[in-house]
Amino acid sequence: MTAPAADPSPHKTPKALAGLAALACVACCALPVLITAGVLGAGTWAVVGWLPSLAVVLGVLAAGTWWLQQRRRGGSCSCGPTPAGRERCGCRASA
């Protein structure tokens, strides 16, 4: 099993949180229409009040986890200088 830091596959947490935030936004707009049309019961109004703040919180969490993952990866090579063509810290020096 590979170490989590060496795993090159992207993490899905920011995408999942962003998807949930988008779903909360859609539900925030769709639920009042569905309640008015009689598709859903009037008790659903209690949920509608919380959806905008839930969407904001999920969006902030998605942005925060994305930012932390980008920061952990380093974005670019943070290794010290090495002779040309030699690899170090997963970075390849330019020739």
Side-chain angles (χ1 to χ4, degrees), residues 21-88:
L23 182 64
C25 288
V26 168
C28 182
C29 295
L31 284 178
V33 173
L34 293 174
I35 293 169
T36 305
V39 176
L40 298 174
T44 314
W45 279 112
V47 176
V48 174
W50 288 93
L51 286 175
S53 41
L54 178 65
V56 169
V57 167
L58 287 170
V60 168
L61 285 173
T65 54
W66 175 83
W67 179 76
L68 283 174
Q69 286 179 359
Q70 294 301 315
R71 191 169 158 90
R72 283 185 182 166
R73 283 188 203 149
S76 63
C77 183
S78 60
C79 307
T82 59
R86 298 200 60 194
E87 291 184 29
R88 181 174 171 183

